[in-house]
Every structure is written in structure tokens, then in C-alpha cells.
Amino acid sequence: MATAASEDLHPHTGSSSEVLPQNMSELRVVLLGNNWTEKRDVGNLLLGETVFSSKPKCCVRISGPLDDKKIVVINTLYLPPLETSQHELTEFIQEFAKLSAPGPHVFLLLVQPENITKEQKKRLCRVLQGYSDRSFDHSLILISAPKEKSSDSVEDFMKGSALNEMIKQCKCRYLKRSNIELPELLTHLGEIMTQNNGEHVSYEAFEDTTETLSGDQQNPKQKEIKNPLTDAVKAAGLHNSLTAQLSPSEKNLLSKSKYDYSLADDRYFY
């Protein structure tokens, strides 16, 4: 379960108008990658606080203020291996699709340059293509620094076919994570939104059965997904049994309402 070290999630400095168009109330970002530590650190960077900590047991959505608006981070648990069945892959995609409804504005792909093989590229592509053919138009690759034992630079790894092809598929949108600061990352996320006219990308499997709705127009089941964790576990009758297993910091988190938590585990929602 995700934990937070501080009680309050403070607004980011700067104006949200530099990132979000005036008619938008929130920025939804889905983190994809094989390394939980990388996703944890980038998620905390986006939210401006140490919110993600220990590895959760399912996909997690946490939102926080972005000046007078909101940023929503959907952190996935893992990256499905190639041997994952189509059924299991669909379940994985549906988890973050529910938490990012009506759809993410950006997929942030976290890659370690020395690990980007053709297999790793296929794993990322399977998820993106399984969600929507338009996913690549909404993707930004964030390349971490090579491990210390590697003598190659990021530029050297970028010459490799797998990473090079992935960058091209994402319209040459990539950033080196080394020493990146939040304003720069938010600026690039905003550029992707501008290039897509502020539109989110919808899960194509849902488009056949439901209309694309704004946050205020979602049906009750979609709204329920966005409730704080405390409301969710109480509604499921799990509050006492769950909180008994939590650490002091997690119990403190459940008593606060500054964070907006949701988990991709149906037992908490229905």
C-alpha cells in the first residue's frame, strides 16, 4: 500500500495555467515501467511530496494540487512480461483505465537505457497498443541515467535499435531523467497536451459501450473509483481489518483527507 511521509500535499510553485489550458481542471498521468523504484521517485516528483513509498499490491491513483488545479498520478504495479496471456494483459490495462477515467492525458514511460532490449520495447508497446492506437501520441519517454558500472552514456544507448525505435514511435518525445526538475517535466507534459489539443486518450474497449465523459459527468461507478481510500474501505466493510495491519504513518494517512487515493482492486470499489 502506498504511504506518505507528510500529512499535507502542498501546491506546486508556479501557475497551473503554464501546464493546463483554462478549461481543464486536472492533468492525468499514467506511469509505465518495469522498475518500481523509478516509478515511485517520479510519482513523488510529480506530486511534490513523498507519497509513494513501499510497493503496493495493485495499481494506485493519487492526486494532489497543481496550483488552483489538480495533478493525478496513476502508478502501475509492474510491466507485464511477454508471456502474459491476453486475458491477464487486458485485466492489467483495465486496472489503470478505471483509475484514469475518462482517460490519461500522458503516458510517462520510465526506461533504464541498459535494459531497453527489443523484448522490453515489445512489453511497453503491448500495453500502449492494448489501450489505444493513439497512446503513442500521448507518450513521453523518461530515460534514467545508466548504472554506475556502465561505461556507456545515455547517448550511446540511444543509438541502440530498440530505444531508438521506441523514441521514434513516441514522436521523438523523450527526456533524460538525470537532474531533471519538476518545472521542466511539467512543461514537457504540457507540450504533449497542447499537441493533442488538450484531449485525453480513451480506452478503446470502453469507447464501444460508454460515451467519453468529463470528470463531472461520470456515472456513479466511475465517481466511486475516485473516492478517498478511507471511504472505499469503509464502504467495503474492511476498515477495521485493514487499518489493524497498517504502519503508524499509513494509519495517519487514512485519517487525513488531503490526499485522494484509489486502488485498482475491485473489492474496494464494489
Side-chain angles (χ1 to χ4, degrees):
M1 177 172 295
T3 61
S6 59
E7 297 180 2
D8 297 318
L9 195 58
H10 303 291
H12 297 301
T13 57
S15 173
S16 60
S17 61
E18 298 174 1
V19 179
L20 300 181
Q22 290 185 351
N23 63 337
M24 294 185 63
S25 61
E26 67 179 28
L27 167 63
R28 295 182 295 276
V29 182
V30 172
L31 304 183
L32 289 176
N34 195 47
N35 187 300
W36 167 253
T37 301
E38 294 277 337
K39 290 184 290 186
R40 176 200 67 193
D41 292 346
V42 173
N44 290 337
L45 174 65
L46 287 169
L47 291 165
E49 294 281 355
T50 304
V51 181
F52 295 106
S53 182
S54 57
K55 189 174 183 177
K57 295 182 179 180
C58 56
C59 186
V60 180
R61 166 192 169 119
I62 304 180
S63 65
L66 178 61
D67 196 25
D68 59 336
K69 298 188 179 183
K70 184 164 67 171
I71 184 167
V72 181
V73 177
I74 298 91
N75 211 339
T76 54
L77 184 59
Y78 65 103
L79 188 64
L82 287 182
E83 60 267 22
T84 301
S85 68
Q86 185 59 47
H87 174 71
E88 291 174 325
L89 178 64
T90 299
E91 285 187 336
F92 173 84
I93 294 173
Q94 286 179 344
E95 278 192 349
F96 71 74
K98 288 178 182 178
L99 294 185
S100 61
H105 299 101
V106 180
F107 286 100
L108 195 52
L109 314 181
L110 279 60
V111 303
Q112 296 166 296
E114 63 271 22
N115 292 339
I116 284 292
T117 60
K118 288 190 176 294
E119 176 181 339
Q120 186 81 351
K121 173 181 174 291
K122 288 180 181 178
R123 291 169 67 183
L124 282 168
C125 289
R126 278 188 84 197
V127 174
L128 293 173
Q129 291 171 339
Y131 184 88
S132 170
D133 289 337
R134 296 179 55 235
S135 296
F136 294 97
D137 294 333
H138 291 257
S139 295
L140 172 66
I141 299 175
L142 190 58
I143 307 172
S144 62
K147 294 179 180 178
E148 292 183 1
K149 62 181 180 180
S150 174
S151 60
D152 294 326
S153 65
V154 170
E155 289 75 13
D156 292 329
F157 285 109
M158 287 174 60
K159 297 175 183 177
S161 60
L163 182 54
N164 190 275
E165 289 171 5
M166 193 72 196
I167 290 173
K168 289 179 180 178
Q169 281 187 272
C170 295
K171 315 298 182 185
C172 295
R173 289 189 295 259
Y174 71 91
L175 280 175
K176 300 174 189 175
R177 191 187 158 198
S178 180
N179 300 320
I180 192 172
E181 296 184 356
L182 180 59
E184 180 184 1
L185 180 54
L186 289 176
T187 296
H188 281 80
L189 298 181
E191 289 176 353
I192 291 178
M193 293 181 64
T194 299
Q195 292 165 3
N196 289 286
N197 300 315
E199 297 177 355
H200 60 266
V201 55
S202 299
Y203 182 34
E204 292 178 349
F206 288 166
E207 286 184 325
D208 295 335
T209 56
T210 60
E211 295 180 353
T212 300
L213 302 177
S214 66
D216 294 335
Q217 296 174 311
Q218 291 172 33
N219 62 45
K221 187 167 289 189
Q222 287 175 311
K223 287 185 177 180
E224 191 173 2
I225 290 175
K226 294 187 177 181
N227 283 342
L229 177 58
T230 49
D231 293 341
V233 296
K234 287 178 181 178
L238 298 170
H239 185 267
N240 291 335
S241 61
L242 179 61
T243 54
Q245 305 174 38
L246 300 180
S247 66
S249 61
E250 289 174 316
K251 290 180 180 179
N252 184 52
L253 175 62
L254 285 174
S255 68
K256 304 296 179 180
S257 59
K258 297 292 185 180
Y259 298 92
D260 179 9
Y261 276 75
S262 294
L263 304 177
D265 187 334
D266 287 348
R267 64 178 179 163
Y268 292 115
F269 301 140
Y270 310 118

